[in-house]
Amino acid sequence: MALSEQDRADFVGGYTRAVINAWSNDEFSALLESDPKAALTEAGIAIPDGATVRVDRRDPEPERGGDSSLEQQVELYEAGQTSGTYVFLIPSTPQVNTEELSEEELAGVSGGDSCCCCPCCCCT
């Protein structure tokens, strides 16, 4: 059953909150594991009474293209409305490279030696 535009927007907002909370809040992440229905409801996702909820912490299938994780999740949610079994893909927390940049790399990021986009007295 396809979601209306408003229902889709509401679902996407709740799903986004659930993913961000799973990445940044240990208590929410633990609740997601122990009681996924309560955690997802807390994030703003409507789960009908009597529905089964399963959380899949694997990353989405990359071969599905650009915005695959979101489209894949919307399809799973729509399928859950028919079957009564909801599967939620909560990707693993992205890893951020925290190694320090050299001064040369920082200069390149900031635009190098020039102060503006055109040659002038302060850039030469």
Side-chain angles (χ1 to χ4, degrees), residues 101-114:
L101 295 175
S102 69
E103 286 188 38
E104 292 82 25
E105 291 169 319
L106 286 171
V109 169
S110 68
D113 294 328
S114 63

Side-chain angles (χ1 to χ4, degrees), residues 47-94:
I47 307 287
D49 291 336
T52 303
V53 177
R54 185 171 60 89
V55 173
D56 187 340
R57 297 301 298 248
R58 288 179 293 150
D59 289 334
E61 301 167 19
E63 65 273 6
R64 294 189 60 133
D67 201 14
S68 65
S69 61
L70 183 57
E71 289 307 314
Q72 189 177 6
Q73 184 57 67
V74 169
E75 290 172 13
L76 288 169
Y77 184 74
E78 289 172 338
Q81 290 184 314
T82 302
S83 69
T85 300
Y86 293 83
V87 177
F88 288 88
L89 303 174
I90 306 294
S92 56
T93 305

Side-chain angles (χ1 to χ4, degrees), residues 6-80:
Q6 183 60 54
D7 288 343
R8 180 185 168 91
D10 292 344
F11 171 75
V12 168
Y15 176 68
T16 302
R17 278 188 296 281
V19 170
I20 291 170
N21 284 338
W23 290 348
S24 62
N25 182 324
D26 290 338
E27 289 177 23
F28 182 86
S29 190
L31 182 60
L32 193 59
E33 296 297 322
S34 66
D35 190 353
K37 187 175 180 178
L40 294 165
T41 300
E42 180 181 309
I45 298 174
I47 307 287
D49 291 336
T52 303
V53 177
R54 185 171 60 89
V55 173
D56 187 340
R57 297 301 298 248
R58 288 179 293 150
D59 289 334
E61 301 167 19
E63 65 273 6
R64 294 189 60 133
D67 201 14
S68 65
S69 61
L70 183 57
E71 289 307 314
Q72 189 177 6
Q73 184 57 67
V74 169
E75 290 172 13
L76 288 169
Y77 184 74
E78 289 172 338

